[in-house]
Amino acid sequence: MMSLRRQDYNVVHKLPHGDSPYVRAKHVQLVEKDAEAAIELFWRAIKARDRVDSALKDMALLMKQQNRADEAIDAIHSFRYLCSRQAQESLDNVLIDLYKKCGRIEEQVELLKQKLWMIYQGEAFNGKPTKTARSHGKKFQVTVQKETSRILGNLGWAYMQLKDYTSAETVYRKAQVIEPDANKACNLCSCLIKQGKLGEAKSILFRDVLEKKEGFDDDLRLKVRVQELLSELERREEEETAVLASVECEVGMDEIVVVEGFDEFVKEWRRPYRTRRRLPIFEEILPLRDQLAC
């Protein structure tokens, strides 16, 4: 009876079975809600080689929640060699989030490019076409295609933070070819606006988001994002029109000045040059006029 109650308790609190350092760490994390004490116990689990794959990952994620992301990065770098080969990909994903949290964008870019290279070499998912992932306690299958698109989307975001809009555009376009997605289309649109490619941005926004409407009506955040992009496009187009009008106006005034100046020059040319004082410039022009007259 006690054993059954214990099993029910573990299921309710999503606790692993046993009484090892890792199990105690999870109990403190999930039941007692003491993050700092749980981190200390995860350290003990790692040193005791107790479920190191899970202990290191769980500790790093908890550190991130406690605004100790730099420490979490150092911990993964220091102890990932203790983890299995199967755990390395998961640790890379945690590192990517930690780099983003810390603003270490260059390192995030390098790791994302490394993950893309692994996919290209057929090393992702341990060589399998799919993998089982977990989100909010639910399991689901992820294909290599979907993972590639996700990584490209993250890489595009990172390039945007570095203001490398050319690279971001290239990456987002590739992601859209692999697996079209409204959010990535919006990011591509934003990238194009940053580069002043307003026509392309508007075309993509209407073609890949507004005209398809897949999930658009149910996604409030997407609606807000699209409205922001439309407002930005309108504002930039108005600025561009104003700049063009200003340039045309300046060119027109320059032309008037040139014409008026030329008229004055002709008047001076036609006047008898011996009857009045000449400007120095005419001393250079008059010999040339005499040669032409001959």
Side-chain angles (χ1 to χ4, degrees):
M1 187 68 176
M2 289 296 293
S3 177
L4 182 60
R5 288 178 181 176
R6 182 66 180 176
Q7 289 178 3
D8 291 341
Y9 180 86
N10 287 350
V11 170
V12 169
H13 294 284
K14 299 179 181 178
L15 293 172
H17 296 282
D19 190 33
S20 67
Y22 175 73
V23 174
R24 290 195 292 273
K26 292 300 289 183
H27 182 275
V28 171
Q29 177 192 3
L30 299 175
V31 180
E32 299 181 18
K33 308 292 184 182
D34 188 340
E36 294 300 329
I39 289 171
E40 179 61 30
L41 289 170
F42 280 129
W43 272 120
R44 294 181 187 178
I46 293 168
K47 292 175 183 177
R49 307 295 195 270
D50 178 29
R51 305 192 193 185
V52 182
D53 292 1
S54 298
L56 182 56
K57 180 181 175 181
D58 289 349
M59 184 182 72
L61 292 173
L62 195 53
M63 282 180 164
K64 177 187 173 185
Q65 294 173 11
Q66 298 301 113
N67 293 318
R68 295 169 60 181
D70 283 308
E71 291 180 63
I73 292 170
D74 291 340
I76 291 177
H77 285 163
S78 298
F79 294 101
R80 69 182 306 167
Y81 76 94
L82 296 174
C83 299
S84 66
R85 183 173 178 271
Q86 290 76 18
Q88 299 302 320
E89 187 176 338
S90 180
L91 289 173
D92 282 341
N93 290 334
V94 175
L95 270 178
I96 288 169
D97 286 339
L98 291 169
Y99 287 144
K100 183 178 180 180
K101 173 85 171 177
C102 296
R104 292 162 65 167
I105 308 301
E106 290 86 356
E107 291 169 275
Q108 183 185 7
V109 166
E110 288 306 312
L111 186 50
L112 287 167
K113 285 160 60 174
Q114 179 182 320
K115 288 180 73 66
L116 286 173
W117 177 249
M118 289 177 64
I119 290 174
Y120 177 74
Q121 295 283 19
E123 298 175 5
F125 297 2
N126 297 310
K128 299 177 181 178
T130 63
K131 73 172 182 178
T132 301
R134 185 188 297 271
S135 178
H136 304 292
K138 296 182 179 179
K139 294 182 179 180
F140 59 96
Q141 292 295 310
V142 178
T143 64
V144 171
Q145 179 182 6
K146 195 172 190 67
E147 179 71 357
T148 303
S149 179
R150 185 187 70 82
I151 293 172
L152 287 170
N154 288 337
L155 184 57
W157 180 91
Y159 278 132
M160 288 284 283
Q161 306 315 301
L162 296 174
K163 300 189 186 315
D164 185 352
Y165 301 124
T166 301
S167 296
E169 178 188 348
T170 301
V171 169
Y172 277 131
R173 287 188 185 278
K174 185 65 175 176
Q176 284 297 91
V177 170
I178 294 173
E179 188 178 55
D181 173 82
N183 288 309
K184 292 188 188 71
C186 287
N187 291 338
L188 175 57
C189 178
S190 177
C191 179
L192 292 168
I193 291 173
K194 296 287 187 184
Q195 298 178 84
K197 301 178 180 180
L198 306 184
E200 290 182 70
K202 182 181 287 187
S203 174
I204 287 171
L205 190 61
F206 277 87
R207 184 192 67 209
D208 295 347
V209 182
L210 293 173
E211 291 180 2
K212 288 188 176 180
K213 292 186 176 181
E214 292 180 3
F216 181 77
D217 294 332
D218 301 325
D219 194 334
L220 180 59
R221 291 179 62 184
L222 181 59
K223 283 184 177 181
V224 172
R225 181 80 191 283
V226 169
Q227 185 57 53
E228 290 174 348
L229 289 170
L230 288 172
S231 298
E232 178 71 4
L233 277 167
E234 184 179 358
R235 184 182 66 80
R236 292 290 293 270
E237 286 174 342
E238 288 175 355
E239 289 177 355
E240 194 174 83
T241 301
V243 169
L244 288 173
S246 175
V247 170
E248 289 175 0
C249 181
E250 290 174 2
V251 170
M253 291 302 296
D254 288 344
E255 289 174 346
I256 292 171
V257 170
V258 169
V259 170
E260 289 179 347
F262 183 74
D263 289 342
E264 291 298 320
F265 175 79
V266 171
K267 289 178 183 178
E268 290 290 341
W269 185 287
R270 289 175 177 172
R271 288 173 185 168
Y273 62 88
R274 291 187 178 87
T275 61
R276 63 190 301 277
R277 183 174 180 274
R278 296 187 297 271
L279 295 174
I281 186 63
F282 280 89
E283 298 295 337
E284 298 177 18
I285 293 175
L286 289 176
L288 178 59
R289 187 189 72 168
D290 295 336
Q291 292 177 18
L292 292 172
C294 297

